[in-house]
Amino acid sequence: MAGGGFVDAHGGARAEYYEYNITWYFIFATVVAALGGSLFGYDLGVSGGVTSMDHFLKEFFHEVYKRKQEHLKETDYCKYDNQLLTLFTSSLYFAALLSTFVASHVTRNKGRRASILVGAVSFFLGAILNAFAQNLAMLIIGRCLLGVGIGFGNQTVPLYLSEMAPAKVRGAVNQLFQLTTTLGIFIANFVNNATEKHPKGWRLSLGLATIPALLMFVGGLFLPETPNSLVEQGRLEEGRKVLERVRGTTKVEAEFQDLIEASEAAKAIKHPFRNLLKRKNRPQLVIGALGIPAFQQLTGMNSVLFYAPVIFQSLGFGSAASLWSSTITTGSLVLGALISMALVDKLGRRAFFLEAGFEMICCMVAVAVTLALNFGQGVALSKGIGIFLVVTISLFVLAFGRSWGPLGWLVPSEIFPLETRSAGQSMVVCVNMLFTALIAQCFLVSLCHLRYGIFLVFGGFILIMTLFIYFLLPETKQVPIEEIHLLWQNHWFWKRYCDHDDQLQQVERKLEQV
Ligand code: BGC
């Protein structure tokens, strides 16, 4: 999905002749690679919990700790507003965003496996540094190393999964990354629940991130390179052997031919990024590279995730209750990913985007109204209102978990034509990480100043993105990936770009004849 040199196996008219079995070799490769999602997810889940732990705050963010103690029983929108505290969270995403471009280069030239190994090592070192941190600098440097790990992992793992998967089950295999991401978040919440009382508990929470990194590194040593990458590097014999082993059959001629052709076509494009800017690629640029990844983050989902424990504490819940509430919300995220995996190929992408978008708007408005009426007067929230908020936030998360979460990665990965797929996917990762970092950096200060209004802002964004999907995204369900361009030609808005392009091609052809 993400990454440099994406070469698709779903090529041309030969797809119907592809043969495959689900082999143990394939299962091993996808399970190890999918661990990359759990690194990402574990970190997403653990940071929110740790930044609300008293012992952690006392050690590194004393001012926040003091403010928190002074207003312990009160409801206060600004309790956690501290730019350094948010820098702790968002530094990782800035590092990930920058390293994605390096990862793209390594993935393309040295192979997917190399990027997976680099990602695992960097993540491991970051987790060690964080676990033993003595000062803020160690913490932030550790976060940056984790970020590089995630930059490499997110760039290459979804790509690896897509390339290893037989074409017919690519959608579900692709979403495995989202599933492991959400499982990582879920497990991180349990870890935080168990460690939060102990003075050094936060060290364990942060240090346990070494486990998925170690598993991914050791597994990565035995991981086969993808056939696509081997073909791309000119190692045709090896590529064919791996393909036969992964597919569990020697009848791979059709798929192998497509790999070779796809690789040649992709190599012929010298400037994929420039190509992406061409008028004929406007729908993919606007929807896939910019709109969907930015909108995925503007749903406000990560604010809820990073700061769910902090939000619940700000709202007057006790420390342990907050962690339990966020465990419930992240459980909804896993459930959402499972629902999406099971149904998205049957019900379609648009159906999920639209119905879940409507549900998310309602939830955001409900949270904003509840807070406007009951919160911020220095009085603790009643139990009933607290429960209502947890349920509403869980419904919001469940809606995101089956729509913008998985589809925010899946849809861009299926709409780029081959020649811009690599560049397009690099943009997807970059825009996604940029918006993740911005939201992480801005959320607490916005909560402090806009108060309940911040949830209305997110609600407004979700309304805009739902209309964006309604008017601009055609249904891609079960459309062969190399035929997606036909959807634009028949689309009420995008067809003018294709028409113009067709006319241009006709003129060019005539000129050539003259
Ligand atoms: C998003 C992340 C998010 C995660 C879980 C992913 O698809 O890219 O930003 O935290 O889903 O919600």
Side-chain angles (χ1 to χ4, degrees), residues 40-41 44-45 93 154 177-178 181-182 185 293 296-297 301-303 305-306 333 397 400-401 403-409 432-433 436:
F40 181 38
L44 282 163
Y93 295 96
N154 284 21
F177 182 69
Q178 177 73 8
T181 302
T182 57
I185 298 171
Q296 188 204 52
Q297 295 304 319
M301 173 60 217
N302 275 330
S303 303
L305 200 66
F306 292 151
L333 207 51
V397 174
F400 174 91
S403 60
W404 282 93
L407 304 184
W409 295 103
N432 191 294
M433 290 292 142
T436 308

Side-chain angles (χ1 to χ4, degrees), residues 1 26-38 157-158 161-162 165 169-184 337-338 341 406 410:
M1 177 159 56
F26 167 69
I27 293 173
F28 165 76
T30 45
V31 167
V32 171
L35 279 170
S38 67
V157 167
L161 291 174
S162 288
V169 290
R170 176 169 297 125
V173 173
N174 189 302
Q175 294 207 8
L176 214 56
F177 182 69
Q178 177 73 8
L179 183 67
T180 52
T181 302
T182 57
L183 280 171
L338 288 169
M341 275 177 95
L410 176 63

Side-chain angles (χ1 to χ4, degrees), residues 58-100:
K58 214 169 15 183
E59 204 149 339
F60 297 105
F61 301 94
H62 204 76
E63 216 182 284
V64 183
Y65 174 73
K66 236 172 58 201
R67 192 144 27 112
K68 187 179 158 193
Q69 293 309 308
E70 282 161 12
H71 302 271
L72 202 55
K73 291 269 170 297
E74 294 171 17
T75 54
D76 178 359
Y77 283 107
C78 298
K79 200 153 42 179
Y80 289 93
D81 175 23
N82 178 303
Q83 286 300 301
L84 272 182
L85 182 61
T86 44
L87 187 64
F88 168 76
T89 302
S90 59
S91 53
L92 182 149
Y93 295 96
F94 287 120
L97 144 76
L98 294 177
S99 61
T100 275

Side-chain angles (χ1 to χ4, degrees), residues 89 438 447-448 470:
T89 302
L438 288 177
L447 181 69
C448 176
Y470 181 77

Side-chain angles (χ1 to χ4, degrees), residues 14 17-19 23 25 163-164 224-260 263:
R14 292 194 199 98
Y17 302 112
Y18 289 7
E19 293 202 21
T23 59
Y25 194 56
E163 290 184 340
M164 278 304 204
E225 186 52 86
T226 67
N228 314 53
S229 174
L230 291 168
V231 169
E232 207 178 16
Q233 294 170 47
R235 295 151 68 185
L236 299 190
E237 259 314 294
E238 270 176 83
R240 186 174 175 122
K241 272 200 195 113
V242 173
L243 189 63
E244 287 178 4
R245 232 180 130 193
V246 177
R247 300 285 178 258
T249 169
T250 49
K251 297 184 197 139
V252 294
E253 195 49 39
E255 189 169 357
F256 191 63
Q257 272 314 313
D258 275 343
L259 282 190
I260 292 178
S263 155

